[in-house]
Amino acid sequence: MSEDVSRRSAMRLFAAAGGMGAVLGAGGCAPAVPPPGAGEPAAEAAGAPAAGRGTGTGTGGAARIDALLEQLTLQEKTALLHGAPDPADPGGQAGYVPGVQRVGIPALRFADGSAGVRVSRPATALPAPVLLASAFDPALARAYGRVIGREGRALGQDVVLAPMANLIRSPFAGRNFETFSEDPRLTADLVGEVVRGIQDEGLIATVKHFALANQEQGRDTVDVSVGEQTLRETELRGFEAAVAAGAGAVMGSSHKVNGVHAGESRPLLDELLRGSWGFDGWVVSDRGAAHSTVAAIRAGLDMEMPGGTHFGGPLREAVRGGSVPEAAVDQAVHRILSTMDRFGLLAARQPARPPRDAAAGARVARKVATAGAVLLRNERGTLPLTGAAARSIAVIGPTAQVPFTGGGGSSHVVPDGADAPLTAIRRRAGNGSTVRYALGEDLYGRPLPAKLLSPAADVEHREVGPGRVWTHEGTFHLAADDEWTLLVHYTGTRPVVRLDGEDLFPVRPGMAEHYAGGLLGSAPDGMAVRRRTFALKAGTHRLTVTAAGGARGQRLRLRHITGAIRAADLAEAVRIAKAARSVVLFAYEDATEGRDRTSLALPGGQERLIEAVAAANPRTTVVLNTPSGTTMPWLSRTGAVLQMYYPGQEGAGATADVLFGDVDPGGRLTQTFPADERTTPVGADPARYPGVGGRQEYSEGVHVGHRWYDAKRATPLFPFGHGLSYTTWQYEKLTVRAQRGGLRVEFTVRNTGRRKGTDVAQVYVGPSEELRLDQPVRALAGYRRITLPPGAAQRVTIDIDARALSSWDPERHAWVLGSGRREVFAGRSSRELPLRSKAAPASR
């Protein structure tokens, strides 16, 4: 593209932004710095193909695709541009495109796969991507991707809708567990390697959601207003890395960007993605995220999912009517077929599908869960559990007894199996140890006594036959005001439960009903669960239950939790905590696609439980299975806090490994944990989150995540990069010198403790005084995960490339190197940086 074209593109975007300035730029000018990767941490997996671009068994390139296109009718072409029902009906997959069998174009099957392949059959339930990211290990990210790639192929899929490259912008966002980090650099490194890993195995990766899909509230309707520099330096970095890694597909998000739906944005899809970055795969809509026919296909959307509302009959009519040239349809089909060809899917003999290797997947899952474990606090030698503390343990909390493998929605995976943490702790403690358990807080309710209702009814073991309807209407009496939770467990169509005339469990609109949660949405025996908590006044209440058996019949049970039940559970937890030498208390929050968090506090009565248990036994370790940053008013009363996020099917064993000190906790936070709900980059400004009047402003600019805390001099609960070790570390002898347009940073890391340990050495760079653009106070420029025996030292070298020293100039629409002397910091987190120096990058 010429510079004139780039300027015209920028002006169009300026208009779309309502005067805020150009957002993307077409990248017509030659970049001032090299693409990302020149100074990245080593990321190649040993023995893995270098490009991550497919199997290399294409069938003839562009000429072959052109010949195929000439044989297709308009009906057949458009059938390749939208989803359809799968005649094989495998269940659980995310999409299906039928292909054109008469000319040898096979069907495509799509699966969700952020944390493992999501189909109805078992697959390896990997730890959530945020836990993977906490390892700060690109090579491990590639291994993670390879598990998804192999299993996707083994389970009959061709395309996986992963990875998710959106940044963690708000701690309230419902899918933070499904992505990687608040930091653009770290996200880019890991996304690129996951893409390579997936495609090493011949599965097509689809990076999502392009772009700025950083919340669930209003995700289909919000209009995101963002400046060009902000977008280039923050959110786009992960997507750019995915394209550089050869991603076969990109999923467009469903909301608007500067007034235009992302799937209709020529600046995003045509000018940036394809023009500037050279993306040669296809763009697919998120589910239901195609909003038009003519505007979408002209902008560069190639495929609509899950059906053909816009790209089926309406697209054919648009071609026949002249509003869409058939060449635009051909171009979209060409992109899809070219990518299929690149992965060998158009070959006469397609690549053989590998057998599923469940044992290998489990090994990677265990390694990731262990490597990403973040020890947030450890006072008075609470961890690791050794000696008497390891022989007398109280284990408390519902998620100690029920495996909590992953979040809800499209990342939920059916695992081969998963141990409960209680089982793993008992196994690791061994014979001669005493491990006692208390529930602490009930998740699934207690049976309603049959005599509670008048007339009496058994609502614990109720079966409704096919074609039948069962109804019971009765009353119950409360002697005093109380807080109740009513729960319905069921196997078919959800029963209607009315209390005093109110429907307690109405069907929620849209995807909110589909994504009901990972842990709380189903009971341990697989029955679906809905719950409702409310205050009940003393007196008589009317309860009505109506359940339809449907075609297959169903089972149901109605359960409850009262104030007396909660008090008894809490008292039992305190009792066993007092009797033990050490306590491991599992706390949870069940996050899911489709809804954002309403609070950063632990839900239910968990804060009260932690307070009471820690008061009874100060050697209390809290293990957090939560999706993102959590406020902790109880923190100072605990002995230790271990952040395990959603640890996958091997999470129980990995947690025990860390608790007993079999491994050093080598994970570090990839997101800042705020001290309170308002002191976050978006927490005090509703225009930033969740938006006002359907419009959202990214007015924090380049100051995302930890950069905002530095700019505002705000003190977080735990900073980005934080994580404790079971040993001690010393950083020394920093040198910084110019090198190839960047900087070479060297320093020594020494294990000064008495045991082997793992640390993540981090390097940050300050702003250029000569660059008149908004810049972070400190930006992550590199890192290295290292493991050392006691007393050993390692000289660490990290190259800071030109991209890390550059800013995006919205007037020049190009990266501009920040020259002059730059301050460089090295240490263990964004707030623990004992080493600093200054140097100027060499001229290029």
Side-chain angles (χ1 to χ4, degrees):
M1 290 185 185
S2 69
E3 183 171 344
D4 288 340
V5 171
S6 179
R7 298 290 181 183
R8 287 197 301 272
S9 302
M11 292 303 295
R12 280 200 300 273
L13 209 50
F14 181 91
M20 281 191 64
V23 176
L24 303 169
C29 302
V33 298
E40 310 283 313
E44 296 294 321
R53 293 178 176 265
T55 60
T57 55
T59 57
R64 159 73 167 157
I65 306 306
D66 291 342
L68 275 175
L69 265 171
E70 290 180 3
Q71 300 177 60
L72 299 177
T73 66
L74 180 60
Q75 172 79 33
E76 289 170 332
K77 291 174 187 176
T78 58
L80 294 171
L81 302 186
H82 65 82
D86 189 341
D89 192 27
Q93 66 186 28
Y96 172 81
V97 173
V100 183
Q101 301 304 317
R102 71 175 184 85
V103 295
I105 300 174
L108 285 175
R109 289 184 167 87
F110 298 67
D112 290 313
S114 294
V117 181
R118 184 179 186 260
V119 291
S120 57
R121 288 174 286 165
T124 300
L126 291 163
V130 70
L131 183 54
L132 165 70
S134 300
F136 279 74
D137 188 344
L140 188 59
R142 188 152 186 172
Y144 184 99
R146 294 192 77 165
V147 171
I148 296 171
R150 181 185 179 98
E151 294 208 345
R153 291 282 299 154
L155 291 167
Q157 306 303 302
D158 307 293
V159 184
V160 65
L161 305 180
M164 180 174 169
N166 304 107
L167 294 183
I168 296 175
R169 178 174 179 259
S170 164
F172 291 94
R175 298 178 78 174
N176 284 348
F177 65 91
E178 202 174 336
T179 188
F180 296 87
S181 173
E182 69 187 18
D183 186 81
R185 173 60 176 262
L186 179 61
T187 298
D189 292 348
L190 301 176
V191 164
E193 290 309 307
V194 171
V195 167
R196 290 184 177 95
I198 290 169
Q199 298 191 161
D200 285 345
E201 301 294 331
L203 191 68
I204 299 171
T206 307
V207 63
K208 62 184 185 182
H209 310 81
F210 191 63
L212 300 160
N214 302 120
Q215 65 189 58
E216 293 300 278
Q217 186 171 343
R219 72 177 190 175
D220 297 326
T221 58
V222 70
D223 184 3
V224 177
S225 177
V226 63
E228 180 178 344
Q229 183 186 3
T230 298
L231 191 52
R232 282 281 191 166
E233 292 190 27
T234 61
E235 175 78 0
L236 291 185
R237 290 290 302 276
F239 293 97
E240 184 181 9
V243 171
V250 169
M251 178 191 287
S253 52
S254 56
H255 57 83
K256 292 180 179 179
V257 177
N258 293 323
V260 179
H261 282 292
E264 299 171 2
S265 173
R266 293 194 69 176
L268 274 174
L269 302 182
D270 183 51
E271 295 163 9
L272 173 74
L273 183 63
R274 294 194 172 99
S276 180
W277 293 348
F279 176 65
D280 59 0
W282 84 83
V283 178
V284 58
S285 77
D286 198 352
R287 190 176 184 88
H291 298 279
S292 66
T293 299
V294 178
I297 197 162
R298 283 182 173 272
L301 183 68
D302 301 308
M303 182 182 287
E304 176 187 9
M305 281 292 176
T309 302
H310 300 286
F311 277 21
L315 180 56
R316 292 190 292 275
E317 290 302 313
V319 172
R320 295 184 184 112
S323 58
V324 172
E326 190 164 356
V329 174
D330 290 349
Q331 185 177 47
V333 173
H334 200 287
R335 290 169 180 148
I336 295 166
L337 295 181
S338 294
T339 306
M340 293 175 67
D341 187 53
R342 196 179 103 198
F343 284 79
L345 299 180
L346 298 183
R349 299 182 64 181
Q350 292 188 26
R353 294 191 181 273
R356 185 167 167 253
D357 191 341
R363 286 193 296 271
V364 172
R366 177 73 166 261
K367 184 176 182 180
V368 171
T370 304
V374 185
L375 184 60
L376 298 177
R377 172 180 170 87
N378 193 21
E379 300 295 317
R380 304 178 295 276
T382 300
L383 292 180
L385 299 175
T386 59
R391 294 192 295 272
S392 172
I393 306 171
V395 179
I396 297 170
T399 47
Q401 193 177 41
V402 179
F404 194 176
T405 59
S410 60
S411 69
H412 178 68
V413 177
V414 179
D416 293 291
D419 281 345
L422 177 61
T423 302
I425 289 171
R426 281 178 169 156
R427 182 169 54 238
R428 176 58 182 82
N431 296 331
S433 297
T434 301
V435 179
R436 294 188 174 92
Y437 174 71
L439 181 64
E441 183 182 61
D442 198 342
L443 292 183
Y444 302 109
R446 307 288 214 279
L448 277 167
K451 293 182 180 179
L452 175 71
L453 296 176
S454 178
D458 178 10
V459 288
E460 176 65 15
H461 303 289
R462 177 62 57 180
E463 293 189 10
V464 183
R468 301 182 67 86
V469 175
W470 176 77
T471 298
H472 181 82
E473 183 172 346
T475 61
F476 63 92
H477 185 80
L478 289 185
D481 294 353
D482 200 357
E483 182 181 74
W484 271 43
T485 300
L486 270 175
L487 306 94
V488 62
H489 300 215
Y490 57 98
T491 60
T493 301
R494 182 157 76 245
V496 176
V497 181
R498 295 185 181 276
L499 180 66
D500 297 330
E502 181 187 359
D503 185 355
L504 294 183
F505 310 111
V507 175
R508 294 183 294 175
M511 299 307 289
E513 176 64 27
H514 180 68
Y515 297 134
L519 171 73
L520 300 180
S522 60
D525 63 358
M527 294 180 77
V529 177
R530 295 292 188 274
R531 57 183 55 74
R532 178 84 173 269
T533 300
F534 41 79
L536 279 182
K537 294 290 187 181
T540 300
H541 298 273
R542 181 167 297 277
L543 184 68
T544 303
V545 184
T546 303
R552 299 181 179 179
Q554 75 158 314
R555 295 180 295 116
L556 70 113
R557 53 186 175 237
L558 194 64
R559 290 186 168 183
H560 75 319
I561 305 169
T562 66
I565 291 172
R566 292 187 179 93
D569 287 343
L570 181 63
E572 173 68 5
V574 169
R575 186 183 68 80
I576 77 152
K578 286 181 177 178
R581 292 295 296 271
S582 56
V583 177
V584 180
L585 191 158
F586 286 81
Y588 73 92
E589 181 180 354
D590 190 26
T592 181
E593 178 178 359
R595 66 171 184 260
D596 283 346
R597 305 163 75 189
T598 57
S599 170
L600 303 186
L602 292 171
Q606 293 184 95
E607 290 191 347
R608 184 169 63 250
L609 175 66
I610 295 171
E611 295 269 5
V613 168
N617 189 330
R619 292 184 61 85
T620 294
T621 296
V622 177
V623 179
L624 292 171
N625 294 130
T626 53
S628 190
T630 303
T631 53
M632 305 180 196
W634 39 264
L635 181 67
S636 63
R637 296 167 177 81
T638 63
V641 178
L642 177 64
Q643 179 70 49
M644 292 298 297
Y645 296 107
Y646 298 156
Q649 69 180 50
E650 303 300 316
T655 302
D657 287 344
V658 177
L659 290 173
F660 287 89
D662 298 332
V663 297
D664 196 44
R668 302 294 181 262
L669 289 182
T670 69
Q671 57 188 301
T672 307
F673 276 30
D676 60 75
E677 297 194 349
R678 290 183 60 81
T679 310
T680 78
V682 300
D685 188 348
R688 291 184 183 178
Y689 174 85
V692 176
R695 184 172 183 270
Q696 183 180 44
E697 298 177 358
Y698 278 45
S699 55
E700 68 271 23
V702 300
H703 306 288
V704 294
H706 59 94
R707 301 175 179 184
W708 181 88
Y709 287 87
D710 289 341
K712 297 296 183 181
R713 297 183 179 179
T715 301
L717 184 64
F718 295 110
F720 175 89
H722 171 75
L724 303 178
S725 171
Y726 290 150
T727 187
T728 54
W729 301 90
Q730 181 174 318
Y731 282 60
E732 57 191 16
K733 301 177 183 177
L734 173 67
T735 63
V736 184
R737 67 177 188 271
Q739 174 182 275
R740 298 196 309 273
L743 297 170
R744 170 156 286 189
V745 181
E746 296 184 29
F747 52 94
T748 298
V749 178
R750 188 180 305 277
N751 181 348
T752 56
R754 297 181 177 180
R755 55 176 292 153
K756 180 180 178 181
T758 297
D759 203 16
V760 176
Q762 302 161 47
V763 172
Y764 297 79
V765 63
S768 166
E769 295 180 358
E770 300 178 10
L771 196 59
R772 300 305 176 197
L773 292 167
D774 196 19
Q775 299 172 75
V777 173
R778 280 182 295 275
L780 181 69
Y783 51 88
R784 186 78 73 248
R785 182 181 176 91
I786 54 176
T787 299
L788 293 175
Q794 180 176 326
R795 192 70 177 162
V796 175
T797 300
I798 293 178
D799 291 331
I800 303 178
D801 62 4
R803 168 65 70 88
L805 298 170
S806 299
S807 296
W808 183 264
D809 188 333
E811 293 186 1
R812 296 174 59 182
H813 310 297
W815 291 101
V816 179
L817 181 66
S819 57
R821 288 169 61 81
R822 307 288 291 269
E823 194 162 20
V824 175
F825 309 83
R828 303 190 64 242
S829 80
S830 64
R831 291 294 177 93
E832 186 181 346
L833 298 167
L835 305 182
R836 61 180 60 192
S837 182
K838 282 190 174 182
S843 58
R844 302 184 63 222

